[in-house]
Amino acid sequence: MMDAAEVERCFTRSDGSYLFARWGRPIAPIVFGVEDATLAVVKGALEAVCAMAGHHMAETDPELGTNVMFFFFRDWAELLDVPDLDRLIDGLAPLVSKLSHAEANQYRVFRFDEAGAIKACFVFLRMDDVMSAQPAETLALSQVVQSVVLWSDVAFTDRSPLGQLEDGRVVLRPEIGALIRAAYDPVMPAMAKDASHALRLAARMQVAQGGMS
């Protein structure tokens, strides 16, 4: 189980600020650039993580239509040809240039409501050799986990949120699952900027662990 200091690191950004947010509305996803089989895998991962968190999914978002968009592509420049994407992502062209030069293979853009809760997320995945080598289930679960709450930009730099069982199956690490469940506890806020929030998350995780023992 993670202690409060470890929880705090999950939401402490590289500039030293603490920032947490979770979804404040049901998740209504759409996936571009994949075959139907992969689409089902991505939606299945979303359903599993939402069920674990006690959060809801929906066919449509009343304000946005869809509020989680997954884009799979081979070259960042392809995003410049997506109709109206520049209206959804401010500064799309310079962002594409930056990511291309960095040879990045993934990027996420979040949008927030008036209360600071997540209201939309755009997930961009450039299928380079590293990404293409991952099984669809692993890739989908990893991206869903990183989209269901606002993690620190360095939260998973050194360690993946996923782990591997003895039989080779890749699953969500138990402590990360426990942290997501605590984050979606109704008594917890949808957004927090004070590191004391990490203490409350750690306490919720311990309460849940005690209830399961």
Side-chain angles (χ1 to χ4, degrees), residues 17-199:
S17 64
Y18 185 94
L19 180 59
F20 162 88
R22 71 184 185 203
W23 282 85
R25 60 182 66 192
I27 293 175
I30 190 169
V31 184
F32 298 99
V34 296
E35 298 176 349
D36 288 346
T38 303
L39 170 62
V41 170
V42 174
K43 289 192 172 182
L46 268 169
E47 290 168 354
V49 173
C50 282
M52 178 198 69
H55 194 56
H56 302 288
M57 292 183 65
E59 289 297 322
T60 59
D61 179 277
E63 179 186 352
L64 304 169
T66 56
N67 54 31
V68 179
M69 298 184 182
F70 291 85
F71 295 87
F72 291 77
F73 49 89
R74 292 289 181 182
D75 190 289
W76 287 107
E78 294 176 39
L79 296 180
L80 300 177
D81 296 325
V82 177
D84 298 325
L85 186 59
D86 57 342
R87 297 172 58 185
L88 296 172
I89 307 294
D90 294 332
L92 178 64
L95 176 62
V96 165
S97 177
K98 175 184 176 182
L99 294 171
S100 295
H101 282 101
E103 298 186 351
N105 59 16
Q106 59 182 294
Y107 192 75
R108 283 166 293 279
V109 177
F110 289 88
R111 293 286 180 264
F112 306 92
D113 62 21
E114 297 79 3
I118 301 171
K119 74 172 184 179
C121 180
F122 305 88
V123 181
F124 302 110
L125 300 171
R126 182 175 69 87
M127 299 305 292
D128 62 4
D129 291 343
V130 173
M131 295 295 247
S132 298
Q134 296 184 43
E137 293 81 2
T138 301
L139 184 60
L141 182 57
S142 174
Q143 295 303 320
V144 166
V145 167
Q146 294 181 79
S147 305
V148 75
V149 298
L150 181 67
W151 303 93
S152 160
D153 54 331
V154 293
F156 302 119
T157 301
D158 300 324
R159 189 178 183 189
S160 167
L162 309 183
Q164 192 169 36
L165 300 179
E166 290 184 1
D167 62 6
R169 285 185 297 137
V170 174
V171 296
L172 182 62
R173 280 165 38 207
E175 67 271 25
I176 296 298
L179 179 52
I180 292 172
R181 284 192 295 271
Y184 276 88
D185 190 308
V187 305
M188 297 298 292
M191 186 274 290
K193 293 184 176 180
D194 192 297
S196 62
H197 171 258
L199 294 171

